[in-house]
Each structure stands twice: as structure tokens, then as C-alpha cells.
């Protein structure tokens, strides 16, 4: 086992690490990673309220709703995770402008222009019962808007920096004018040119069938999946694609919303058969797909456990201790954006392969008959309480066999992540030791 582990780690170190180092040295990638890491205080803080707003113990959940606390917790989410794209576009544009390091280009101005452009690209009406209502939907401010926020943050910052180097577009004021006033007036023409460009893009998209930039992304990503049928290979493909999208900071909800009608149809067919004592037509598919994720996307609970058991980096261990509790309740945005996993080339392989390995374990368990019990009524009911730990739901829906299979899946994915985790923390450990020596001297 040790020889196999060493061989995998050596292969990754030779082939993946050089490419990862080159990829990570890009100012664009550094801006994206840094931007997501800046959202960590928001995502970790919001994770607590997300658990409370969807508390997995039904009597407690009912009491919280009755007292009005659930509504208050949801309002907390509305100001944090529900508008995560706003924080992403600001932080990425700020860091990218700063990374480009050009004179006359203020990171703060770059961030403001990016935020303004991001909001301009959104539809400014919401469908009402009888007519359109003026307003901005949370759908575009939350996880569905992260990819657009990332692109807008990078593109707007890049254009702003390029235009700010053109002296003809900078307003010159006398030296006697206070610097604060000069800095405010200087980029006015640059901002005007950029707003004209943003307006042109918005107007152009309004004449297309999609109507706006956000729906264009939604159609481009989710459209091809509408024709996918319900089968284990198809469901696995969607799970892998979801993780791949999350790696590029596109929330899997983009495609999950498309596949939900298919999975719900299969679940209801199983329930109807279960009620009359017939064989459930989609039992194998539903059990296997249930093991694609042992917590959130990418089975990141196994990564955190690998760090806590085998890790040496103080930073990664501290992060794991903070994020493992939300992760147990299937909230892994703090890990995705805090470590980060997004745009981290070392972690892309285990992150994308995790559902393949865990799904294979689930498939073997049901195909061999180890998991024979399956209660579709419990599966449907518990699916709506999405913060319930998967170990618990596996036990309720599939019995002790489901619980044991879930444990095996978690352990297996720990060893999938382990060699990549070791490489990830290698440089971090060296830097921590250097910092300790500097502090002592």
C-alpha cells in the first residue's frame, strides 16, 4: 500500500506540480484564488446560520420557525451567502487591478467599476403575478452569479488598467487641487468609456433570445443536459461535471436544477412501486447516485479529515478545524473558496474523481446485494432537509448497510485525496518553518 501511495505521489509530483506551479503563477489565477479567499470570513460566518435556518432536527426546526428565528437566520443568509457574487466581483477586480500593478490604476476604482458593470448586466425586473416588478433577483446575486462575477471582475479590471494608461483619457487638474479630489476626477473619462461599452453589451444581449449575460451562461451550461436520461453513467457524468464546474467557481446548482426533474421522476416511480410491494425500477440508480457525494460536492469532508489526520501545515489544519463542522452538514463553500479548491490545479484530480470512487463503492454495495433495504419515502422526505449529515440519512434510508458503505466511501476518498494533500501542503510547511525562523531571529 505504501509503495502504491509513494508511486502515485511521485507521479503527481513529476507531472502535476510543474504544471500547477506554472498555472498558479498567472496573475489571473492568483486574482481568482485570492478573491475567493477574501470571501472566507463571510462564508464561514454564514455557514452557521445556514445550519440553524435548516436545522436537521425536525422538532427544533419547527420551534425555530414558530418563534420567528428561522426567518431571522434566513435574513442573515440574504446578506451573506445569498449575495456571494457581489463579494466575489469586488474582491477579484480589486486584487487583479493590484496584481497588474500599473500607474494611475487604483484597485478600489477597478473594484467599483466591476461591481457597477456586474449589476448593470443583471435584469432589473422580476416577474410578478400580473406584471413585471422593478427589482433585482437574488438568483443573480448568489451562487448562480459567481461565474459571471468572476469573468466581469477580471475583464473590467483588465480594461480599466489598460485605459488608465492612456493619458488622453485622464483628466488633469492643477497641482494645487487636493490629491483626494484629483484621484476622484482623474478616471472619469475612463469610467465613461467603460460604461458605454457595458451598455452596448447589455443592449446587444437584450436583442438575443437569452436576453442577458446571466441567462446566456445558464443556457450554455445547462441546456445540453436537458436531453440526458436517467442512467448511472449519465448521473455520474453530471456529478463529475458539477465538480468540474465548481472547480472553476461555477456552482453545481446550474446543472442540478436541470437534473432535478429527472431524479424526482425516478424517486416517485420507486415510491409507487414500494407502496404496492413491487420491485423499484430505479432502486440501483438512486442508491448509487446517493453515494456520489458523502457531504458537499467533491467529498471535501475526506480532504479535511486527511489534513487533520496526516497534515502538518498549521494553516491548513486550522482551516480544517473551522470548516469541518459546516462540512458535516453538507456546507462546503468555506472549503471550496477558503482553501481554496477553486482554481487549485493540484486538487482538481481528486476533486473531480471523488464521485467516481464513492459512486463505484455505492454501486458495488447495491449490485452485490449488501445494500438490500431502501426506503424511497424516507429518501424523498429527507432530501428536502439538505443539511442532514449523509451518514445519518444513509442509515435511515438504507439501514446499517448504508451507514457502513458510507463510512467505507469516506475512508476510501481520504486516501484518494492524501497524496495530493501532501503535495499541497509541502510548500506551505516550508514557508511556515521559514516564518518561524524569522520570528525567532
Amino acid at each position: 500500500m505504501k509503495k502504491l501511495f509513494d508511486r502515485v505521489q511521485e507521479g503527481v509530483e513529476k507531472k502535476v506540480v510543474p504544471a500547477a506551479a506554472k498555472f498558479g503563477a498567472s496573475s489571473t489565477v492568483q486574482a481568482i484564488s485570492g478573491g475567493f479567499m477574501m470571501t472566507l470570513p463571510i462564508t464561514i460566518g454564514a455557514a452557521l446560520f445556514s445550519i440553524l435556518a435548516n436545522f436537521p432536527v425536525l422538532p427544533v426546526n419547527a420551534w425555530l420557525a414558530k418563534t420567528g428565528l428561522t426567518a431571522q437566520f434566513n435574513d442573515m443568509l440574504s446578506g451573506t451567502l445569498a449575495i456571494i457574487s457581489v463579494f466575489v466581483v469586488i474582491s477579484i477586480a480589486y486584487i487583479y487591478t493590484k496584481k497588474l500593478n500599473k500607474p494611475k490604476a487604483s484597485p478600489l476604482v477597478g473594484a467599483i467599476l466591476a461591481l457597477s458593470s456586474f449589476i448593470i448586466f443583471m435584469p432589473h425586473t422580476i416577474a410578478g403575478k400580473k406584471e413585471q416588478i422593478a427589482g433585482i433577483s437574488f438568483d443573480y446575486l448568489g451562487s448562480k452569479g459567481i461565474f459571471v462575477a468572476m469573468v466581469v471582475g477580471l475583464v473590467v479590471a483588465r480594461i480599466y488598467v489598460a485605459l488608465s494608461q492612456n493619458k488622453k483619457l485622464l483628466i488633469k487638474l492643477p497641482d494645487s487641487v487636493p490629491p483626494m479630489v484629483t484621484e476622484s476626477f482623474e478616471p472619469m473619462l475612463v469610467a465613461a468609456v467603460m460604461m458605454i461599452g457595458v451598455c452596448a453589451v447589455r443592449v446587444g444581449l437584450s436583442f438575443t433570445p437569452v436576453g442577458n449575460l446571466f441567462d446566456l451562461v445558464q443556457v450554455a451550461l445547462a441546456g445540453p443536459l436537458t436531453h440526458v436520461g436517467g442512467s448511472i453513467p449519465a448521473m455520474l457524468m453530471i456529478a463529475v461535471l458539477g465538480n468540474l464546474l465548481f472547480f472553476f467557481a461555477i456552482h453545481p446548482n446550474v446543472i442540478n436544477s436541470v437534473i432535478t426533474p429527472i431524479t424526482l421522476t425516478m424517486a416517485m416511480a420507486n415510491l409507487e412501486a414500494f407502496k404496492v410491494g413491487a420491485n423499484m425500477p430505479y432502486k440501483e440508480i438512486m442508491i448509487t447516485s446517493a453515494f456520489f457525494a458523502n457531504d458537499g460536492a467533491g467529498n471535501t469532508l475526506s480532504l479535511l479529515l486527511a489534513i487533520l489526520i496526516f497534515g502538518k501545515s498549521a494553516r491548513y489544519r486550522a482551516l480544517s478545524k473551522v470548516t469541518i463542522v459546516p462540512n458535516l452538514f453538507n456546507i462546503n463553500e468555506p472549503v471550496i473558496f477558503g482553501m481554496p479548491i477553486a482554481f487549485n490545479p493540484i486538487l482538481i484530480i481528486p476533486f473531480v474523481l471523488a464521485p467516481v470512487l464513492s459512486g463505484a463503492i455505492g454501486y458495488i454495495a447495491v449490485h452485490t446485494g449488501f445494500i438490500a433495504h431502501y426506503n424511497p419515502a424516507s429518501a424523498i422526505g429527507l432530501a428536502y432537509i439538505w443539511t442532514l449529515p449523509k451518514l445519518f440519512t444513509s442509515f435511515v434510508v438504507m439501514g446499517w448497510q448504508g451507514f457502513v458503505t458510507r463510512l467505507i466511501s469516506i475512508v476510501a476518498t481520504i486516501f484518494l485525496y492524501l497524496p495530493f494533500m501532501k503535495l499541497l501542503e509541502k510548500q506551505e510547511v516550508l514557508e511556515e518553518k521559514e516564518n518561524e525562523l524569522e520570528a525567532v531571529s
Side-chain angles (χ1 to χ4, degrees):
M1 184 71 180
K2 189 176 185 301
K3 287 184 178 179
L4 177 62
F5 173 79
D6 292 339
R7 202 176 302 163
V8 171
Q9 187 168 351
E10 184 181 349
V12 172
E13 195 161 1
K14 284 182 178 179
K15 296 180 180 180
V16 176
V17 171
K22 188 175 181 181
F23 182 78
S26 164
S27 59
T28 303
V29 174
Q30 288 178 357
I32 294 170
S33 298
F36 284 129
M37 287 181 71
M38 286 182 72
T39 67
L40 185 60
I42 293 293
T43 55
I44 288 182
L48 171 63
F49 292 100
S50 183
I51 294 170
L52 292 173
N54 302 273
F55 205 74
V57 180
L58 289 178
V60 176
N61 194 31
W63 179 81
L64 290 172
K66 186 177 179 181
T67 58
L69 287 173
T70 298
Q72 298 297 330
F73 297 148
N74 281 325
D75 289 342
M76 292 294 295
L77 293 176
S78 297
T80 50
L81 285 181
I83 58 169
I84 188 69
S85 296
V86 174
F87 306 124
V88 168
V89 71
I90 293 171
S91 56
I92 287 179
Y94 182 91
I95 293 176
Y96 194 42
T97 306
K98 197 173 183 179
K99 287 280 182 187
L100 294 175
N101 195 27
K102 296 291 184 180
K104 304 297 183 181
S106 165
L108 183 58
V109 173
I112 291 172
L113 290 172
L115 175 61
S116 175
S117 303
F118 179 66
I119 293 174
I120 289 171
F121 282 131
M122 294 178 193
H124 289 183
T125 56
I126 302 171
K129 291 183 178 180
K130 294 183 179 180
E131 58 184 12
Q132 295 288 322
I133 302 169
I136 295 175
S137 172
F138 271 104
D139 287 346
Y140 303 114
L141 298 171
S143 59
K144 290 183 180 179
I146 286 180
F147 184 72
V148 176
M150 183 180 69
V151 173
V152 170
L154 292 172
V155 172
V156 169
R158 169 67 78 172
I159 294 173
Y160 162 65
V161 170
L163 292 178
S164 65
Q165 305 311 299
N166 188 334
K167 294 181 179 179
K168 294 180 180 179
L169 293 176
L170 299 178
I171 296 176
K172 292 291 183 182
L173 295 177
D175 294 338
S176 58
V177 176
M180 185 180 296
V181 178
T182 301
E183 290 172 4
S184 300
F185 274 83
E186 202 170 47
M188 285 180 65
L189 286 178
V190 172
V193 170
M194 293 185 68
M195 288 300 102
I196 291 171
V198 170
C199 180
V201 173
R202 177 183 167 88
V203 171
L205 286 172
S206 70
F207 288 105
T208 67
V210 291
N212 62 79
L213 183 60
F214 290 80
D215 289 345
L216 172 64
V217 172
Q218 176 77 10
V219 169
L221 293 174
L225 296 173
T226 55
H227 303 293
V228 174
S231 66
I232 291 176
M235 300 288 280
L236 179 59
M237 180 196 75
I238 291 168
V240 170
L241 179 59
N243 285 13
L244 186 62
L245 291 176
F246 219 170
F247 175 81
F248 290 103
I250 306 171
H251 203 283
N253 283 343
V254 172
I255 58 174
N256 288 344
S257 59
V258 175
I259 202 65
T260 295
I262 298 174
T263 57
L264 185 58
T265 300
M266 291 190 291
M268 293 308 296
N270 281 341
L271 181 59
E272 290 171 8
F274 180 75
K275 285 180 178 178
V276 297
N279 289 328
M280 290 177 276
Y282 301 106
K283 175 183 174 181
E284 193 170 88
I285 296 174
M286 297 304 287
I287 291 177
T288 302
S289 61
F291 283 93
F292 289 157
N294 294 322
D295 45 280
N299 296 333
T300 50
L301 175 62
S302 293
L303 171 61
L304 298 180
L305 290 172
I307 292 171
L308 292 174
I309 297 169
F310 302 103
K312 297 178 181 178
S313 165
R315 183 176 86 84
Y316 287 133
R317 287 181 64 82
L319 178 67
S320 299
K321 289 174 183 177
V322 172
T323 57
I324 194 167
V325 174
N327 210 280
L328 283 167
F329 293 93
N330 309 317
I331 301 167
N332 68 342
E333 280 84 356
V335 184
I336 300 294
F337 302 129
M339 189 158 283
I341 291 175
F343 287 90
N344 190 326
I346 291 178
L347 292 177
I348 185 174
I349 294 174
F351 187 70
V352 171
L353 289 182
V356 179
L357 175 59
S358 57
I361 292 169
Y363 175 77
I364 292 170
V366 66
H367 199 65
T368 58
F370 179 70
I371 297 179
H373 172 74
Y374 180 73
N375 188 326
S378 297
I380 294 171
L382 295 178
Y384 290 98
I385 313 173
W386 62 271
T387 52
L388 277 173
K390 295 290 178 68
L391 281 167
F392 174 77
T393 58
S394 298
F395 177 77
V396 173
V397 176
M398 294 171 266
W400 67 266
Q401 295 92 338
F403 181 85
V404 170
T405 304
R406 183 72 69 184
L407 279 178
I408 294 171
S409 178
I410 291 171
V411 172
T413 44
I414 286 175
F415 287 99
L416 172 65
Y417 270 110
L418 188 55
F420 300 91
M421 182 277 291
K422 287 288 187 183
L423 291 174
L424 181 69
E425 72 165 12
K426 191 174 183 180
Q427 184 61 35
E428 190 72 26
V429 170
L430 289 174
E431 290 178 5
E432 287 173 4
K433 287 182 178 178
E434 289 175 4
N435 292 336
E436 286 177 6
L437 290 173
E438 289 177 6
V440 171
S441 60

